[in-house]
Amino acid sequence: MNQDVTGPLSCRAASSALRATPPFTVLLGPDYAGKSSALLELADRAPAWPIVSVDDEFLGPEHSLIGQLRRNLVADVLPGLHHGYSTDFMISLLQTAALHLRDSIERSPGGAPVLVDSYYYKILAKCRLSGVDNHPMFDWWRTFPQPRREIFLEVSAATAWRRCRQGAETNSLEYYGERPEQASFEKFQSDLRKVMWEEVRQLPVTVIEEQEHISRTAQKIREAIAHDHW
């Protein structure tokens, strides 16, 4: 029996398929590299630039679910990982963030640089460091649209440890072991950096070294984006 594929849903799907993904840049870096602060600074300096992130500051009311899922992940799933929740469940929950980032990029208006916080690269890297080196979801994420450029923020181990208040503000996807100790935190962050670089090795990357002031970091990000966009 032939199935009628006309109607609102099929029209929306066709329209979505025809619409080109706007060019975008991804801001990447280890935990506590200053990405969130830099994005807030850029939001003030260049309000016309769309910023895509799962941080609450960049989520509209219609996407409050994304923030809630992120908080539930940290508060409920990570503490219960392996005995209350499986790694597959964790990855399924992280998938909502990856899809939100992808969909938000595709919804972004053209004409202005789109800046994306971490994209799926950091999510995938953390999943791998949690013990899941291969997963069918990873293959799907790698088919997502790719950015024009990566901007990688560097941060010293000492600065990152200080910014997380010696582990007090970390979650278990930021260090190895049962509790955050400086050595386990620094080892995880070093490995995280390596795995993220593996994921973006085929892309143009601009590295921004640690800056004394966040305003200087934001300025360097603006310069890197402007170089590509105009």
Side-chain angles (χ1 to χ4, degrees):
M1 182 177 66
N2 293 331
Q3 185 177 7
D4 182 9
V5 295
T6 62
L9 287 177
S10 62
C11 290
R12 283 199 296 270
S15 175
S16 175
L18 291 173
R19 186 178 186 273
T21 300
F24 63 100
T25 301
V26 171
L27 184 63
L28 197 60
D31 296 317
Y32 308 98
K35 289 188 289 74
S36 296
S37 297
L39 289 173
L40 289 171
E41 181 84 6
L42 285 166
D44 287 338
R45 291 189 180 197
W49 291 9
I51 294 177
V52 174
S53 174
V54 295
D55 285 353
D56 288 335
E57 293 85 354
F58 299 102
L59 293 173
E62 71 278 16
H63 294 128
S64 60
L65 173 63
I66 303 300
Q68 184 61 53
L69 290 174
R70 184 183 183 187
R71 289 186 288 275
N72 287 149
L73 171 72
V74 173
D76 303 320
V77 177
L78 295 183
L81 196 60
H82 303 305
H83 54 83
Y85 295 95
S86 67
T87 51
D88 280 340
F89 187 93
M90 177 192 73
I91 292 171
S92 296
L93 196 55
L94 288 167
Q95 150 113 322
T96 63
L99 282 175
H100 174 73
L101 294 171
R102 186 205 66 178
D103 293 350
S104 296
I105 294 167
E106 294 181 346
R107 285 193 300 264
S108 297
V114 180
L115 184 57
V116 183
D117 182 1
S118 299
Y119 203 22
Y120 69 84
Y121 305 122
K122 193 168 186 177
I123 296 171
L124 193 157
K126 290 200 172 193
C127 289
R128 289 181 59 188
L129 293 180
S130 70
V132 186
D133 196 52
N134 292 292
H135 194 279
M137 207 73 75
F138 301 167
D139 294 332
W140 186 36
W141 295 349
R142 289 176 177 129
T143 69
F144 287 5
Q146 295 300 297
R148 179 177 289 184
R149 177 171 299 277
E150 293 283 341
I151 299 176
F152 197 97
L153 298 188
E154 294 284 16
V155 63
S156 69
T159 297
W161 185 243
R162 174 176 55 79
R163 287 176 177 172
C164 72
R165 295 178 55 226
Q166 291 72 48
E169 295 184 1
T170 59
N171 64 64
S172 59
L173 283 180
E174 297 176 345
Y175 58 86
Y176 289 123
E178 296 297 321
R179 61 184 62 84
E181 297 176 347
Q182 186 169 1
S184 65
F185 172 81
E186 291 182 0
K187 173 59 174 168
F188 185 95
Q189 296 303 317
S190 175
D191 290 347
L192 177 64
R193 183 185 185 280
K194 292 175 184 176
V195 176
M196 288 191 296
W197 271 102
E198 288 177 12
E199 290 297 327
V200 303
R201 64 184 180 275
Q202 302 299 328
L203 295 169
V205 179
T206 296
V207 176
I208 297 179
E209 299 295 339
E210 183 180 335
Q211 303 294 308
E212 186 175 354
H213 300 291
I214 195 64
S215 59
R216 182 61 178 155
T217 302
Q219 178 59 32
K220 284 186 171 290
I221 294 170
R222 289 186 68 185
E223 292 170 358
I225 294 173
H227 181 270
D228 278 344
H229 194 75
W230 290 290

